Amino acid sequence: PESPPPPSLSLVIGAGPGSSPPPLDGQLGRGPAPAPAPPRPRRSLAGSFAKHTQGYGRVNVVEALQEFWQMKQSRGADLKNGALVVYEMVPSNSPPYVCYVTLPGGSCFGSFQFCPTKAEARRSAAKIALMNSVFNEHPSRRITDEFIEKSVSEALASFNGNREEADNPNTGIGAFRFMLESNKGKSMLEFQELMTVFQLLHWNGSLKAMRERQCSRQEVLAHYSHRALDDDIRHQMALDWVSREQSVPGALSRELASTERELDEARLAGKELRFHKEKKDILMLAAGQLGNMHSSNC
Protein backbone atom coordinates (compact mmCIF):
# COMPACT_ATOMS: atom_id res chain seq x y z
CA PRO A 1 0.00 0.00 0.00
CA GLU A 2 1.07 3.55 -0.61
CA SER A 3 2.45 5.54 2.32
CA PRO A 4 -0.12 7.84 3.88
CA PRO A 5 0.37 11.55 3.25
CA PRO A 6 2.10 13.60 5.96
CA PRO A 7 -0.29 14.74 8.69
CA SER A 8 -1.36 18.34 8.52
CA LEU A 9 0.49 20.66 10.87
CA SER A 10 -2.71 21.43 12.79
CA LEU A 11 -3.10 17.74 13.58
CA VAL A 12 0.54 17.45 14.60
CA ILE A 13 0.66 20.35 17.01
CA GLY A 14 -2.54 20.27 18.88
CA ALA A 15 -5.70 20.88 16.91
CA GLY A 16 -6.35 17.17 17.33
CA PRO A 17 -9.76 15.73 18.01
CA GLY A 18 -11.65 15.56 21.21
CA SER A 19 -11.25 16.09 24.88
CA SER A 20 -11.08 13.51 27.64
CA PRO A 21 -14.10 11.19 28.00
CA PRO A 22 -16.61 12.02 30.74
CA PRO A 23 -16.06 10.32 34.11
CA LEU A 24 -17.76 6.96 34.70
CA ASP A 25 -20.86 6.77 36.91
CA GLY A 26 -18.95 4.89 39.59
CA GLN A 27 -16.54 7.81 39.92
CA LEU A 28 -19.50 10.10 40.58
CA GLY A 29 -20.80 8.00 43.48
CA ARG A 30 -23.68 6.41 41.55
CA GLY A 31 -22.57 2.80 41.76
CA PRO A 32 -19.52 0.66 42.43
CA ALA A 33 -16.18 1.80 41.11
CA PRO A 34 -15.16 0.01 37.92
CA ALA A 35 -12.36 -2.52 37.87
CA PRO A 36 -8.97 -1.05 37.05
CA ALA A 37 -8.38 -0.85 33.32
CA PRO A 38 -5.58 -3.00 31.90
CA PRO A 39 -2.35 -1.08 31.29
CA ARG A 40 -2.30 0.71 27.96
CA PRO A 41 0.37 -0.09 25.40
CA ARG A 42 3.11 2.48 25.23
CA ARG A 43 1.97 5.43 23.18
CA SER A 44 3.96 6.11 20.00
CA LEU A 45 6.27 9.09 20.01
CA ALA A 46 4.08 10.93 17.48
CA GLY A 47 0.97 10.17 19.53
CA SER A 48 2.60 11.27 22.77
CA PHE A 49 3.79 14.48 21.16
CA ALA A 50 0.34 15.27 19.75
CA LYS A 51 -1.17 14.64 23.19
CA HIS A 52 1.51 16.72 24.86
CA THR A 53 0.88 19.74 22.63
CA GLN A 54 -2.92 19.40 22.56
CA GLY A 55 -4.67 22.41 23.95
CA TYR A 56 -1.73 24.77 23.53
CA GLY A 57 -3.77 26.90 21.17
CA ARG A 58 -1.45 28.55 18.68
CA VAL A 59 1.73 26.57 19.29
CA ASN A 60 5.15 28.12 18.74
CA VAL A 61 6.50 25.70 16.10
CA VAL A 62 10.10 26.55 16.96
CA GLU A 63 9.54 25.47 20.57
CA ALA A 64 7.44 22.48 19.47
CA LEU A 65 10.21 21.19 17.19
CA GLN A 66 12.76 21.38 20.00
CA GLU A 67 10.37 19.65 22.41
CA PHE A 68 9.78 16.86 19.90
CA TRP A 69 13.48 16.02 19.70
CA GLN A 70 13.95 16.29 23.46
CA MET A 71 11.05 13.85 23.87
CA LYS A 72 12.66 11.54 21.27
CA GLN A 73 15.94 11.61 23.19
CA SER A 74 14.18 10.91 26.48
CA ARG A 75 12.72 7.78 24.89
CA GLY A 76 16.16 6.41 24.15
CA ALA A 77 16.95 7.72 20.66
CA ASP A 78 20.67 7.55 19.93
CA LEU A 79 21.42 11.22 19.27
CA LYS A 80 25.21 11.41 19.30
CA ASN A 81 25.27 15.22 19.35
CA GLY A 82 22.33 15.71 21.69
CA ALA A 83 18.81 16.92 20.94
CA LEU A 84 19.65 20.51 19.96
CA VAL A 85 17.98 21.84 16.80
CA VAL A 86 20.25 24.34 14.98
CA TYR A 87 19.03 27.32 12.90
CA GLU A 88 21.05 29.23 10.30
CA MET A 89 19.88 32.47 8.71
CA VAL A 90 21.13 33.35 5.23
CA PRO A 91 22.67 36.84 5.54
CA SER A 92 20.37 39.42 3.94
CA ASN A 93 19.34 43.02 4.54
CA SER A 94 15.95 42.73 2.88
CA PRO A 95 13.19 40.16 2.34
CA PRO A 96 12.58 37.45 1.43
CA TYR A 97 14.57 36.04 4.33
CA VAL A 98 15.76 32.43 4.25
CA CYS A 99 16.46 30.16 7.21
CA TYR A 100 17.78 26.60 7.40
CA VAL A 101 17.25 24.21 10.29
CA THR A 102 19.41 21.16 10.96
CA LEU A 103 17.92 18.36 13.05
CA PRO A 104 19.96 16.40 15.62
CA GLY A 105 20.49 13.48 13.19
CA GLY A 106 21.78 15.80 10.45
CA SER A 107 18.71 16.20 8.21
CA CYS A 108 18.23 19.74 6.96
CA PHE A 109 15.14 21.72 5.92
CA GLY A 110 14.58 25.34 4.96
CA SER A 111 11.93 28.03 4.91
CA PHE A 112 9.65 27.18 1.99
CA GLN A 113 7.49 30.32 1.89
CA PHE A 114 8.03 34.00 1.08
CA CYS A 115 9.16 35.30 4.48
CA PRO A 116 9.01 39.07 5.08
CA THR A 117 10.81 38.81 8.45
CA LYS A 118 13.62 36.73 9.92
CA ALA A 119 11.26 35.41 12.60
CA GLU A 120 8.84 34.22 9.92
CA ALA A 121 11.67 32.48 8.05
CA ARG A 122 12.63 30.66 11.25
CA ARG A 123 9.03 29.57 11.82
CA SER A 124 8.68 28.41 8.20
CA ALA A 125 11.80 26.23 8.49
CA ALA A 126 10.64 24.83 11.83
CA LYS A 127 7.20 24.06 10.40
CA ILE A 128 8.45 21.84 7.54
CA ALA A 129 11.05 20.20 9.81
CA LEU A 130 8.40 19.41 12.44
CA MET A 131 6.03 17.89 9.87
CA ASN A 132 8.81 15.66 8.53
CA SER A 133 10.04 14.72 12.00
CA VAL A 134 6.59 13.56 13.11
CA PHE A 135 5.74 11.82 9.82
CA ASN A 136 9.08 10.01 10.00
CA GLU A 137 7.79 8.16 13.08
CA HIS A 138 5.06 6.42 11.05
CA PRO A 139 5.64 2.65 10.64
CA SER A 140 5.52 3.04 6.84
CA ARG A 141 8.73 5.09 7.05
CA ARG A 142 10.74 2.17 8.45
CA ILE A 143 13.07 0.05 6.31
CA THR A 144 11.57 -3.45 6.31
CA ASP A 145 12.14 -6.61 4.25
CA GLU A 146 9.10 -5.70 2.17
CA PHE A 147 10.41 -2.19 1.56
CA ILE A 148 13.84 -3.54 0.56
CA GLU A 149 12.39 -6.00 -1.95
CA LYS A 150 10.18 -3.32 -3.49
CA SER A 151 13.03 -0.78 -3.72
CA VAL A 152 15.47 -3.26 -5.25
CA SER A 153 12.86 -4.43 -7.78
CA GLU A 154 12.19 -0.81 -8.80
CA ALA A 155 15.94 -0.19 -9.15
CA LEU A 156 16.33 -3.29 -11.32
CA ALA A 157 13.46 -2.16 -13.54
CA SER A 158 14.85 1.38 -13.83
CA PHE A 159 18.33 0.23 -14.88
CA ASN A 160 17.30 -2.90 -16.82
CA GLY A 161 19.23 -5.02 -14.36
CA ASN A 162 18.87 -8.69 -13.54
CA ARG A 163 18.29 -10.47 -10.24
CA GLU A 164 21.92 -11.69 -10.06
CA GLU A 165 23.10 -8.06 -9.85
CA ALA A 166 20.99 -7.48 -6.77
CA ASP A 167 22.79 -10.33 -4.97
CA ASN A 168 26.29 -9.14 -5.90
CA PRO A 169 27.57 -6.37 -3.57
CA ASN A 170 30.15 -5.33 -6.18
CA THR A 171 27.41 -4.06 -8.51
CA GLY A 172 25.64 -0.74 -8.02
CA ILE A 173 22.27 -2.35 -7.29
CA GLY A 174 23.90 -4.94 -5.05
CA ALA A 175 25.55 -2.15 -3.07
CA PHE A 176 22.18 -0.41 -2.80
CA ARG A 177 20.63 -3.60 -1.40
CA PHE A 178 23.55 -4.03 1.02
CA MET A 179 23.01 -0.48 2.31
CA LEU A 180 19.28 -1.05 2.81
CA GLU A 181 19.79 -4.35 4.61
CA SER A 182 22.48 -2.82 6.82
CA ASN A 183 19.96 -0.20 7.92
CA LYS A 184 16.93 -2.44 8.43
CA GLY A 185 14.66 -1.03 11.12
CA LYS A 186 15.87 2.55 10.67
CA SER A 187 13.64 5.36 9.46
CA MET A 188 13.88 6.99 6.05
CA LEU A 189 15.35 10.18 7.52
CA GLU A 190 18.05 8.16 9.29
CA PHE A 191 18.83 6.33 6.04
CA GLN A 192 18.92 9.60 4.09
CA GLU A 193 21.42 11.03 6.59
CA LEU A 194 23.73 8.10 5.90
CA MET A 195 23.24 8.24 2.14
CA THR A 196 24.23 11.92 2.08
CA VAL A 197 27.85 10.88 2.70
CA PHE A 198 27.82 8.59 -0.34
CA GLN A 199 26.01 11.18 -2.47
CA LEU A 200 28.79 13.66 -1.69
CA LEU A 201 31.54 11.11 -2.36
CA HIS A 202 29.96 10.39 -5.75
CA TRP A 203 29.48 14.09 -6.58
CA ASN A 204 33.04 14.90 -5.61
CA GLY A 205 34.55 12.09 -7.67
CA SER A 206 35.91 10.33 -4.57
CA LEU A 207 34.09 7.06 -5.28
CA LYS A 208 35.55 6.93 -8.80
CA ALA A 209 39.04 7.56 -7.41
CA MET A 210 38.57 4.72 -4.90
CA ARG A 211 37.52 2.33 -7.68
CA GLU A 212 40.62 3.30 -9.65
CA ARG A 213 42.66 2.35 -6.57
CA GLN A 214 40.99 -1.08 -6.72
CA CYS A 215 38.87 -0.52 -3.61
CA SER A 216 35.79 -2.74 -3.72
CA ARG A 217 32.33 -1.29 -3.19
CA GLN A 218 31.97 -3.37 -0.05
CA GLU A 219 35.18 -1.94 1.42
CA VAL A 220 34.00 1.61 0.71
CA LEU A 221 30.53 0.91 2.13
CA ALA A 222 31.94 -0.74 5.24
CA HIS A 223 34.25 2.23 5.89
CA TYR A 224 31.86 5.11 5.26
CA SER A 225 28.75 3.47 6.76
CA HIS A 226 30.27 4.14 10.17
CA ARG A 227 31.86 7.50 9.37
CA ALA A 228 29.96 10.67 10.15
CA LEU A 229 30.15 13.61 7.78
CA ASP A 230 32.72 15.77 9.55
CA ASP A 231 35.02 18.73 8.95
CA ASP A 232 37.85 16.46 7.77
CA ILE A 233 35.71 15.10 4.91
CA ARG A 234 34.49 18.60 4.01
CA HIS A 235 38.04 19.99 4.07
CA GLN A 236 39.35 17.22 1.80
CA MET A 237 36.51 17.73 -0.69
CA ALA A 238 37.13 21.48 -0.67
CA LEU A 239 40.80 20.85 -1.51
CA ASP A 240 39.68 18.67 -4.44
CA TRP A 241 37.64 21.61 -5.77
CA VAL A 242 40.58 23.99 -5.29
CA SER A 243 42.64 21.61 -7.45
CA ARG A 244 39.87 21.48 -10.10
CA GLU A 245 39.63 25.25 -10.22
CA GLN A 246 43.37 25.54 -10.72
CA SER A 247 43.20 23.01 -13.59
CA VAL A 248 39.99 24.38 -15.14
CA PRO A 249 39.43 28.05 -14.24
CA GLY A 250 35.75 28.81 -13.70
CA ALA A 251 34.81 25.25 -12.68
CA LEU A 252 34.18 26.27 -9.09
CA SER A 253 31.96 29.25 -9.87
CA ARG A 254 29.89 27.22 -12.35
CA GLU A 255 29.37 24.40 -9.87
CA LEU A 256 28.47 26.86 -7.12
CA ALA A 257 25.88 28.61 -9.29
CA SER A 258 24.32 25.25 -10.23
CA THR A 259 24.29 24.10 -6.60
CA GLU A 260 22.62 27.31 -5.39
CA ARG A 261 19.84 26.87 -7.98
CA GLU A 262 19.30 23.25 -6.92
CA LEU A 263 19.26 24.24 -3.25
CA ASP A 264 16.68 26.97 -3.80
CA GLU A 265 14.43 24.71 -5.88
CA ALA A 266 14.56 21.92 -3.29
CA ARG A 267 13.98 24.36 -0.40
CA LEU A 268 10.89 25.91 -1.99
CA ALA A 269 9.56 22.40 -2.69
CA GLY A 270 9.89 21.52 1.00
CA LYS A 271 12.47 18.77 0.39
CA GLU A 272 15.23 17.50 2.65
CA LEU A 273 18.27 19.65 1.86
CA ARG A 274 21.39 18.28 3.46
CA PHE A 275 23.05 17.05 0.26
CA HIS A 276 22.54 20.38 -1.52
CA LYS A 277 23.46 22.40 1.58
CA GLU A 278 26.66 20.42 2.18
CA LYS A 279 27.65 20.85 -1.47
CA LYS A 280 27.26 24.61 -1.18
CA ASP A 281 29.20 24.76 2.10
CA ILE A 282 32.06 22.70 0.62
CA LEU A 283 32.24 24.91 -2.48
CA MET A 284 32.18 28.07 -0.34
CA LEU A 285 34.99 26.60 1.77
CA ALA A 286 36.99 25.96 -1.42
CA ALA A 287 36.37 29.52 -2.60
CA GLY A 288 37.64 30.81 0.75
CA GLN A 289 40.78 28.68 0.49
CA LEU A 290 41.42 30.00 -3.03
CA GLY A 291 40.99 33.55 -1.78
CA ASN A 292 43.50 32.93 1.01
CA MET A 293 45.99 31.47 -1.47
CA HIS A 294 45.67 34.52 -3.75
CA SER A 295 46.10 36.87 -0.80
CA SER A 296 49.26 35.10 0.38
CA ASN A 297 50.72 35.27 -3.15
CA CYS A 298 50.27 39.02 -3.41
Side-chain angles (χ1 to χ4, degrees), residues 183-252:
N183 289 275
K184 197 182 299 182
K186 290 187 177 180
S187 70
M188 293 308 298
L189 272 185
E190 289 171 318
F191 183 63
Q192 179 59 45
E193 288 156 6
L194 173 64
M195 288 303 293
T196 298
V197 177
F198 292 97
Q199 285 178 289
L200 288 169
L201 290 170
H202 174 72
W203 161 73
N204 193 58
S206 303
L207 289 181
K208 182 180 179 183
M210 290 178 201
R211 284 198 299 274
E212 290 171 351
R213 292 199 297 269
Q214 306 303 312
C215 295
S216 71
R217 277 193 173 91
Q218 243 181 331
E219 288 173 329
V220 175
L221 291 173
H223 177 73
Y224 283 100
S225 292
H226 304 287
R227 173 116 187 238
L229 186 55
D230 56 23
D231 287 342
D232 287 341
I233 294 179
R234 295 183 186 98
H235 180 70
Q236 185 56 55
M237 290 187 179
L239 288 177
D240 290 340
W241 279 97
V242 168
S243 177
R244 285 191 186 98
E245 176 64 21
Q246 290 171 332
S247 300
V248 184
L252 179 59

Side-chain angles (χ1 to χ4, degrees), residues 278-296:
E278 290 285 357
K279 278 170 61 177
K280 180 180 177 181
D281 290 347
I282 289 165
L283 294 169
M284 293 296 289
L285 181 60
Q289 290 171 347
L290 277 169
N292 291 338
M293 291 167 62
H294 290 154
S295 298
S296 61

Side-chain angles (χ1 to χ4, degrees), residues 15-94:
S19 54
S20 301
L24 298 170
D25 283 351
Q27 293 168 297
L28 295 175
R30 294 197 293 273
R40 292 183 177 182
R42 189 179 187 204
R43 190 190 296 271
S44 69
L45 175 61
S48 292
F49 182 71
K51 182 74 173 176
H52 172 65
T53 55
Q54 191 170 357
Y56 276 21
R58 182 170 178 174
V59 174
N60 182 323
V61 288
V62 174
E63 291 178 2
L65 179 62
Q66 184 62 63
E67 284 188 22
F68 176 89
W69 282 92
Q70 286 171 342
M71 186 179 290
K72 190 172 174 70
Q73 185 180 44
S74 72
R75 285 179 164 234
D78 182 20
L79 305 177
K80 295 179 176 60
N81 298 316
L84 185 64
V85 173
V86 178
Y87 293 87
E88 178 188 343
M89 289 295 306
V90 175
S92 176
N93 295 321
S94 60

